[in-house]
Amino acid sequence: MKRLILLFSMITCWMTATSQTYCTTGLYGTGCTVGDDLDGITLGSYSQSASGCSPNGYGDFTSTPINLVHSQVPYPFTASTTYAGFEYVGVWIDWNDDGDFIDANEFITYSPNAIGAATPFVSSILIDNTRPVGPHRMRVRLIYGAVVTASQSCTNETWGETHDYTVNVLPGIVGGCANSF
């Protein structure tokens, strides 16, 4: 009986640690139905374009991991919209995999200036050796009309779109050995 209880406890702890619940509903009142869409992103060699407007303004793209290797060189990042302008972008990565984006250093980059169809958001993301190896949830959020702040990963906004991705961080390899920089 003790073994059965121990096994049940271990499974429960593992399931709690590995199955996170991220906010995916109630992110927008109108969403992207009037054109405020996050039309695509690029990160390193990953490229997604013409994704269109996701139902309720939320797109789950976590099934295809974006592999990124520890590096001292930032990866180029872009986000685009088909809307004319006044859109802002924020990017978060849940480094500790706790189901939210509110911890220190999880707000990765944002557009301080409005973007539009003719002017995508261009930035970079550094995945240095301080970042934990393994899969992590990345959120890219487009909001109409105001600069995105660190606290807006799950807030209800009127217009925009949110996409979630999986960033798979791999250790840097130098001369056939894992690099610890």
Side-chain angles (χ1 to χ4, degrees):
M1 184 65 167
K2 288 180 183 178
R3 289 183 183 167
L4 184 58
I5 292 171
L6 177 63
L7 178 63
F8 177 75
S9 296
M10 288 172 41
I11 290 172
T12 302
C13 288
W14 177 80
M15 287 176 59
T16 301
T18 60
S19 56
Q20 302 302 329
T21 304
Y22 291 91
C23 57
T24 59
T25 60
L27 296 172
Y28 298 97
T30 303
C32 50
T33 57
V34 293
D36 300 275
D37 66 321
L38 179 58
D39 196 46
I41 72 157
T42 61
L43 177 55
S45 62
Y46 177 85
S47 181
Q48 173 198 48
S49 61
S51 61
C53 177
S54 302
N56 301 311
Y58 175 76
D60 184 349
F61 300 98
T62 59
S63 64
T64 303
I66 303 169
N67 292 320
L68 301 173
V69 177
H70 281 152
S71 175
Q72 296 301 318
V73 178
Y75 287 92
F77 175 84
T78 61
S80 60
T81 182
T82 59
Y83 200 69
F86 303 110
E87 306 288 355
Y88 294 84
V89 175
V91 180
W92 295 261
I93 298 178
D94 184 12
W95 292 121
N96 62 354
D97 306 315
D98 66 347
D100 63 49
F101 303 98
I102 61 173
D103 302 297
N105 302 314
E106 290 187 336
F107 188 51
I108 303 301
T109 188
Y110 70 100
S111 58
N113 301 308
I115 70 164
T119 54
F121 172 53
V122 177
S123 187
S124 61
I125 296 176
L126 180 63
I127 308 293
D128 63 17
N129 69 331
T130 65
R131 303 303 185 187
V133 170
H136 307 285
R137 177 76 57 109
M138 179 176 77
R139 171 154 295 176
V140 181
R141 191 142 199 230
L142 181 113
I143 297 175
Y144 176 83
V147 174
V148 180
T149 65
S151 64
Q152 290 180 291
S153 64
C154 290
T155 56
N156 181 276
E157 304 296 331
T158 304
W159 298 289
E161 187 174 17
T162 298
H163 289 181
D164 281 352
Y165 302 88
T166 299
V167 170
N168 187 35
V169 177
L170 304 167
I173 305 295
V174 174
C177 299
N179 185 359
S180 62
F181 287 106

